[in-house]
Amino acid sequence: MHQHAPLIIDVAGHSLTTAERRRLAHPLVGGVILFSRNWQDRAQLTRLCRQIKSVRHDLLIAVDHEGGRVQRFRTDGFTHLPPMAAFGTLWGQPGRPGELDGASALRACNAATAAGYVLGAELRACGVDLSFTPVLDLDYGESSVIGDRAFARDPRVVTLLAQALMLGLQQSGMGNCGKHFPGHGFVKADSHLAIPVDQRSLKAILAEDAAPYGWLSSSLQAVMPAHVIYPKVDSRPAGFSPRWLQEVLRRQLHFTGAIFSDDLSMAAARQIEGREVGFAEAALAALSAGGDMVVLCNQSVVDGGAPIDEAIEALSRAQVQGDWIVNPASEERRLALFPQGAAMDWDQLMVSARYMEALSLLP
């Protein structure tokens, strides 16, 4: 039996409990997603990351750390990163006298690279492996949940700024994860609470919202689909849809990296064709549709983590019974997300020329 560790789970507090160590040791668990409740200060975060790695060195430690209002760690020296919309604004500024056309756009790209470096280097200094960024959604001015998390309305601008940000992440040794495929910016509903429906045609979505995924197919290492239904394409949300994940993302847009489900604890995540399903069924549906990893958030704090144990148990059963066939490429994709090169520790980072210069470039 091929082994693959598709479950990304959360932990309850500032340090690991015995039950959490047991869960993390399970071969189907491939990583941890951290939240603000896992943060007290840098020393504590660094200790927690060490504890996680002491259970298994191949556990991926991830976080939603984009900048703006989605940034889990904000105190004890962490830089308050600007929202991505700030780089779009910089792009659109009039040039200075005597400059070549487009100089503002290039300045914006340089600033985005600086932000990617600061973001990645600060997280890595504390032991975090991956941030779920960049946001590739387009800002239609409609979505409250996306809003200034998006770089811009124009998919070309979004693509180049995201590529610049990813270059900065890469300089820090960190991978990337584009989200929310094929685009969450057009719908108003917040998928944490309800299931958004986007009525546009596949052609319209491919021409605009999904375009960055094709243009970045050789740069993106991971993608997270949207918990949105596009009924003209499929009755299932994108993350449960073989049509979106395999036909469109893999075949048409040539993406070869890892596919993460978005958080399966969201209301929208557990609606499949009109019926509500449990985590275990949702996880299996996401993996069967072509996902490589499934993310279960905020479940360690429910009944002592019972929902996580149930998901592990159900996935183990499905594997034994042959209801879930492991794709060996999935584990390769997961392992490819680990950082490259040694991380600088915090004190080294604070006095490094590249870091200080990067800070000075942030808008």
Side-chain angles (χ1 to χ4, degrees), residues 136-153:
L136 298 178
D137 299 315
L138 309 186
D139 182 11
Y140 288 92
E142 289 289 320
S143 170
S144 57
V145 72
I146 302 300
D148 66 2
R149 294 167 67 190
F151 286 104
R153 162 67 185 83

Side-chain angles (χ1 to χ4, degrees), residues 190-255:
D190 177 347
S191 56
H192 294 82
L193 310 168
I195 184 123
V197 177
D198 186 333
Q199 295 288 355
R200 292 176 301 162
S201 67
L202 178 60
K203 189 177 170 192
I205 296 164
L206 286 174
E208 294 237 33
D209 300 62
Y213 293 89
W215 291 329
L216 294 169
S217 67
S218 58
S219 317
L220 282 169
Q221 286 172 281
V223 163
M224 185 176 276
H227 284 324
V228 175
I229 294 177
Y230 308 85
K232 299 237 164 47
V233 184
D234 196 340
S235 58
R236 292 179 162 223
F240 298 126
S241 163
R243 177 146 196 227
W244 275 119
L245 301 185
Q246 295 180 44
E247 276 182 46
V248 180
L249 183 58
R250 293 253 188 247
R251 287 185 206 117
Q252 269 180 273
L253 300 175
H254 308 293
F255 172 68

Side-chain angles (χ1 to χ4, degrees), residues 85-96:
F87 301 101
T89 303
L90 203 55
W91 179 295
Q93 280 176 354
R96 296 167 191 165

Side-chain angles (χ1 to χ4, degrees), residues 34-35 39 45 63 65 71-75 78 123 128:
L34 300 176
F35 291 93
W39 164 262
L45 176 65
V63 65
H65 202 84
Q71 181 175 334
R72 303 294 182 227
F73 317 135
R74 301 168 167 268
T75 50
F78 264 91
L123 287 176
V128 177

